[in-house]
Amino acid sequence: MPLEVLIIAEQGFEPVYAKPGDAGADIRSTEDLVLAAGQRSLVKTGVRIAIPNGFVGLVHPRSGLAAKHGITVLNTPGTIDAGYRGELMVTLLNTSSEDFAISRGDRIAQILFQAVEQAVFHPVSELPE
């Protein structure tokens, strides 16, 4: 059953699944920048979403960027809570020794959605083995 996620995004910047059955939908940069060797940067996507309660959005690196260029998401996975309504921004890190150019429209990360459960915490004096 599809998960309905409300979205505000500039046309062409909506998350998109590249192939049927993909777990992650690609998200794109809305800005041009150069990520210097060893540098990190918060990259804008122009996307705002409303995730239903009971679900979380998880932002992961794109494996091709990581393997070919050393570009990764710093706080992998980035967590987007159901109550967050601001712009999705991705903290990219260039782990390589070369500068990396990002152009407006480049796919920079992917977002996955998962069901989550809220814990009920019970204080105890001892934990079971």
Side-chain angles (χ1 to χ4, degrees):
M1 180 161 132
L3 175 68
E4 295 206 9
V5 176
L6 303 178
I7 184 168
I8 296 173
E10 185 178 328
Q11 188 171 0
F13 285 86
E14 305 89 349
V16 175
Y17 293 98
K19 294 179 270 184
D22 282 356
D26 291 328
I27 50 181
R28 301 174 181 276
S29 171
T30 57
E31 56 186 322
D32 296 321
L33 66 128
V34 173
L35 196 55
Q39 179 186 8
R40 67 179 179 265
S41 184
L42 197 56
V43 182
K44 296 179 180 183
T45 68
V47 173
R48 294 174 49 214
I49 58 177
I51 301 170
N53 285 333
F55 290 86
V56 64
L58 300 171
V59 178
H60 290 266
R62 293 192 66 246
S63 57
L65 284 180
K68 295 175 188 171
H69 305 287
I71 306 300
T72 191
V73 176
L74 185 59
N75 58 328
T76 299
T79 301
I80 304 164
D81 293 310
Y84 181 70
R85 296 295 184 266
E87 179 179 4
L88 303 185
M89 300 204 309
V90 179
T91 306
L92 291 181
L93 172 65
N94 183 350
T95 66
S96 79
S97 58
E98 298 178 8
D99 294 353
F100 184 77
I102 296 171
S103 298
R104 177 178 164 82
D106 283 353
R107 297 177 297 162
I108 57 168
Q110 55 186 330
I111 186 168
L112 288 77
F113 297 94
Q114 292 183 344
V116 294
E117 300 215 18
Q118 292 254 304
V120 177
F121 298 99
H122 296 281
V124 294
S125 58
E126 253 179 61
L127 297 177
E129 292 297 318

